[in-house]
Every structure is written in structure tokens, then in C-alpha cells.
């Protein structure tokens, strides 16, 4: 006998659905209870933690309030305590400063200060040495560059007599022009018209010879001084100035007695004397373009027009000598 077919919508089907749903509900209920239990436990843990933090905060607040009450009580008992403490602070600071330092600390501080001073001095010496070294290198390079044309021309550096021959010319103006060509360490700013005024004089030929010899000696003095420094040596007393060089030189082209390193009060101080001797120089030597030239050389004798050559010795700085004037004797105290 075959089983009776069941309708999918009959009471049996309905009962089967109810049983399945009931089982699912039971499972959901169990899961819900487990989740609820877990949430309750987590809540308890968090609650306990926050309760502990609240207790710590409450204890701290109580302690702070206790301190405030204590301080308030102290201030109420001593109303002027705050002002007294403020007035005591400067005295306390002074007393602390007066306290003797430990010997070891004081000694270390003294050594430190001494070391700092010494370090500053050494730094200054080093800076000065570096500047001197750089200046010497520049002087050496400048000397080599300036003397190269002389060497290329076949004139031996330092040979004043050979140079005098090259400077020979039929006029005083011509001698100055020759010096511009052959005397690389001379800067001639002298007005050639002043020299030309002397040409009519009967001693003009003698003055031309003396002028050529003088310029040759000035050039060789500057050459020797530049080369000595270029080799890293001090100039020494023989190269202290042109007069000293002429006195130590074996050449008789210029007597040291003819070299005058200064002049009297009129020339150096009076408006007229000083103005006459304020002569042109390159602006890299003096930004004004002028310098007072009291140093001079007697080209002629004492009788008028008594020609003089005024110069500015800058060999200690630029290595050059500026010839600012050659002509009749400038005004002095004895000039009418």
C-alpha cells in the first residue's frame, strides 16, 4: 500500500514548520543570552575602571582642598606673610651671591675665563697673521707683474745706471715721459708744463741728467723693496725709505743729502704751503685723489729756480711711488 501523499498546505506541513521555527527561536534566544551576559561583564569591567578613576580624582581634589584650607588658615593667621616674603626675596638673592664659592669651582671658573681670553687673543693673532700673509702674497705677485716688462726689455732689475741711460732725453719733459715707459713702479702725476718752464735755464742739461739719475734710483729702491717683501723678508733699515736706500747703495746717482723726508712748519701747516704740496695720486691710494707730499729731492742747488721733485712713498702699501711734482721750488717761509 503506497504512502498517502501529504499536502504541502496541510496540518502536518504546518506542524513541521512550527517545530523548525521553534528550534530556530530557541537557538536565537540562547545566543542572545550569551551576548547579553558578555555585554554585562564588559560593562561591569568598564564601570569598575571609571569608578576607580573617579575615586583617584576625588582623593586628589580632597587633598587639594585640604591644602587650600591649610594655606588660607596660615595666611589668615599671618596677614602680612605674603608682603614679608616678597620683601625678603632681594635680600635672599644678595646673600646667596655673597656666599663663598667652593675653591674648586672658583678655580675652574678662573681657568675657564683665562682660557677664553687666551683663545680670543690667539684668534686675533691668527687673523692678523693671515692678513699679513695675504698681503705678502699680493705684494709678491704685484712685484713680479710690475717687474716683468723691465726684464723683457733686457734691463737688469736693480741696475740704476743702466736705467738712467734709458731715461735720457733731450728735454726734462722727455725724461719724465721715458720714466713712464721704463719705471714700472713709478706713477708720474706731475704736470709736465712745470718741467718745461725750466728748459730755458742754462743748467737745464745738468738737471736732465740729475732728474734721470733720481728717477732711476727711486725705481730701483722700489724694486728692491718689492722683491725683498716678495721673498717673504722684512725690508730692513736699508730699505726703510729712499734716503736710507741712497745711503746704503754703492751707486752715486743720488746722494742721501739730496733726499728730504719732511719740511718745515710753513710747508706742513700753513694753508699756502700745504695747498702747494697737495698733489694728485691714484684714487686707489687715496680716495680723494690727492696727498700731501712733503718728501722731496733737490734736483737743483739753492739758487732760484732751485728745481725740486716731490714724491709720495707708498711702497709699504701698494709698492708704488708717486711723483707728484717736478719744477721750480714751491713756496716756503723764505719765499717773498
Amino acid at each position: 500500500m503506497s504512502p498517502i501523499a501529504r499536502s504541502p498546505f496541510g496540518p502536518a506541513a504546518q506542524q513541521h514548520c512550527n517545530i523548525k521555527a521553534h528550534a530556530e527561536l530557541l537557538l536565537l534566544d540562547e545566543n542572545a543570552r550569551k551576548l547579553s551576559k558578555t555585554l554585562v561583564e564588559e560593562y561591569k569591567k568598564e564601570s569598575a575602571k571609571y569608578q576607580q578613576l573617579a575615586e583617584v580624582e576625588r582623593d586628589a581634589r580632597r587633598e587639594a582642598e585640604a591644602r587650600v584650607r591649610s594655606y588660607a588658615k596660615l595666611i589668615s593667621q599671618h596677614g602680612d606673610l605674603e608682603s614679608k616674603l616678597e620683601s625678603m626675596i632681594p635680600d635672599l638673592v644678595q646673600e646667596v651671591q655673597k656666599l663663598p664659592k667652593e675653591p674648586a669651582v672658583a678655580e675652574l671658573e678662573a681657568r675657564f675665563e683665562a682660557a677664553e681670553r687666551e683663545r680670543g687673543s690667539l684668534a686675533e693673532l691668527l687673523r692678523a697673521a693671515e692678513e699679513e700673509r695675504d698681503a705678502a702674497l699680493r705684494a709678491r705677485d704685484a712685484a713680479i707683474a710690475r717687474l716683468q716688462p723691465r726684464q723683457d726689455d733686457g734691463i737688469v732689475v736693480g741696475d740704476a745706471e743702466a736705467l738712467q741711460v734709458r731715461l735720457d732725453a733731450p728735454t726734462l719733459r722727455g725724461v719724465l715721459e721715458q720714466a713712464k715707459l721704463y719705471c714700472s713702479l713709478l706713477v708720474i702725476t706731475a704736470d709736465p708744463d712745470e718741467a718745461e718752464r725750466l728748459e730755458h735755464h742754462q743748467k737745464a742739461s745738468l738737471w736732465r741728467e740729475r732728474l734721470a739719475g733720481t728717477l732711476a734710483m727711486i725705481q730701483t729702491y722700489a724694486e728692491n723693496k718689492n722683491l725683498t717683501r716678495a721673498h717673504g723678508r722684512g725690508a730692513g733699515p736699508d730699505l726703510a725709505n729712499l734716503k736710507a736706500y741712497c745711503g746704503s747703495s754703492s751707486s752715486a746717482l743720488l746722494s742721501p743729502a739730496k733726499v728730504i723726508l719732511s719740511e718745515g712748519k710753513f710747508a706742513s701747516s700753513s694753508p699756502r704751503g700745504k695747498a702747494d704740496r697737495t698733489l694728485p695720486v691714484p684714487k686707489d691710494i687715496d680716495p680723494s685723489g690727492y696727498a700731501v707730499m712733503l718728501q722731496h729731492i733737490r734736483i737743483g742747488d739753492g739758487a732760484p729756480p732751485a728745481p725740486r721733485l716731490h714724491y709720495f712713498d707708498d711702497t709699504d702699501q701698494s709698492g708704488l711711488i708717486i711723483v707728484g711734482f717736478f719744477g721750480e721750488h714751491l713756496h716756503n717761509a723764505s719765499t717773498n
Side-chain angles (χ1 to χ4, degrees):
M1 182 175 178
S2 57
I4 299 173
R6 295 180 180 178
S7 172
F9 305 103
Q14 182 66 37
Q15 182 181 8
H16 176 72
C17 290
N18 290 339
I19 293 172
K20 185 178 179 182
H22 182 68
E24 291 178 354
L25 288 173
L26 290 176
L27 180 60
L28 290 172
D29 183 60
E30 180 65 23
N31 289 338
R33 282 198 300 271
K34 289 181 179 179
L35 180 59
S36 177
K37 183 179 180 181
T38 301
L39 290 175
V40 169
E41 290 177 355
E42 290 295 328
Y43 173 78
K44 288 180 179 180
K45 290 180 181 179
E46 291 297 318
S47 178
K49 182 172 70 174
Y50 286 115
Q51 184 176 3
Q52 184 179 3
L53 291 174
E55 290 177 356
V56 171
E57 178 68 21
R58 187 166 51 252
D59 292 341
R61 186 173 65 251
R62 288 173 179 173
E63 183 179 355
E65 290 174 351
R67 289 182 179 177
V68 170
R69 288 194 297 271
S70 176
Y71 294 154
K73 183 178 179 182
L74 181 62
I75 292 174
S76 64
Q77 293 174 351
H78 304 280
D80 58 345
L81 180 61
E82 184 177 359
S83 60
K84 286 183 178 180
L85 288 174
E86 290 181 354
S87 64
M88 290 172 61
I89 288 176
D91 295 335
L92 290 173
V93 172
Q94 291 181 3
E95 291 298 325
V96 170
Q97 292 176 346
K98 292 178 181 179
L99 290 176
K101 296 180 180 179
E102 292 292 333
V105 175
E107 183 179 356
L108 288 174
E109 287 183 351
R111 289 182 180 179
F112 177 76
E113 292 176 359
E116 283 293 306
R117 289 194 297 270
E118 185 175 0
R119 184 177 67 86
S121 299
L122 291 175
E124 182 65 22
L125 289 174
L126 176 62
R127 185 190 63 77
E130 289 176 346
E131 289 181 355
E132 186 174 351
R133 177 203 62 194
D134 294 342
L137 291 174
R138 289 193 299 271
R140 179 199 64 189
D141 296 341
I144 293 173
R146 287 167 181 159
L147 297 179
Q148 191 62 41
R150 286 282 306 282
Q151 295 170 344
D152 294 344
D153 196 52
I155 302 176
V156 177
V157 174
D159 188 345
E161 293 181 355
L163 180 57
Q164 182 185 23
V165 174
R166 294 296 180 95
L167 300 184
D168 185 37
T171 64
L172 292 167
R173 186 185 192 125
V175 173
L176 293 176
E177 293 298 326
Q178 288 294 98
K180 291 180 180 179
L181 295 175
Y182 292 102
C183 298
S184 57
L185 297 178
L186 303 188
V187 178
I188 299 177
T189 62
D191 184 354
D193 291 343
E194 295 289 343
E196 196 166 351
R197 291 191 183 96
L198 300 171
E199 291 293 347
H200 69 280
H201 201 279
Q202 60 181 358
K203 291 185 177 181
S205 61
L206 173 62
W207 294 339
R208 286 196 295 271
E209 181 181 358
R210 288 182 178 178
L211 178 61
T214 294
L215 294 172
M217 285 296 289
I218 296 175
Q219 169 69 20
T220 54
Y221 155 66
E223 287 176 354
N224 282 285
K225 195 166 186 177
N226 274 261
L227 288 174
T228 298
R229 290 186 167 177
H231 288 92
R233 301 190 301 269
D238 291 344
L239 291 170
N241 51 59
L242 179 61
K243 188 179 187 73
Y245 174 73
C246 293
S248 63
S249 175
S250 58
S251 174
L253 297 182
L254 181 60
S255 168
K258 298 288 187 180
V259 181
I260 310 302
L261 298 180
S262 185
E263 292 195 71
K265 187 176 181 180
F266 175 86
S268 60
S269 302
S270 71
R272 173 67 185 275
K274 191 173 182 179
D276 285 348
R277 291 158 180 80
T278 301
L279 301 166
V281 298
K283 288 191 175 182
D284 56 351
I285 291 177
D286 192 298
S288 69
Y290 293 90
V292 178
M293 300 187 189
L294 300 178
Q295 296 178 336
H296 63 278
I297 299 167
R298 296 170 178 166
I299 302 298
D301 299 325
R308 297 293 187 262
L309 182 148
H310 285 254
Y311 67 96
F312 183 80
D313 188 346
D314 199 51
T315 52
D316 289 333
Q317 300 298 326
S318 65
L320 301 173
I321 293 180
I322 295 82
V323 177
F325 175 83
F326 172 69
E328 296 182 9
H329 196 299
L330 296 173
H331 286 81
N332 59 20
S334 61
T335 302
N336 293 326

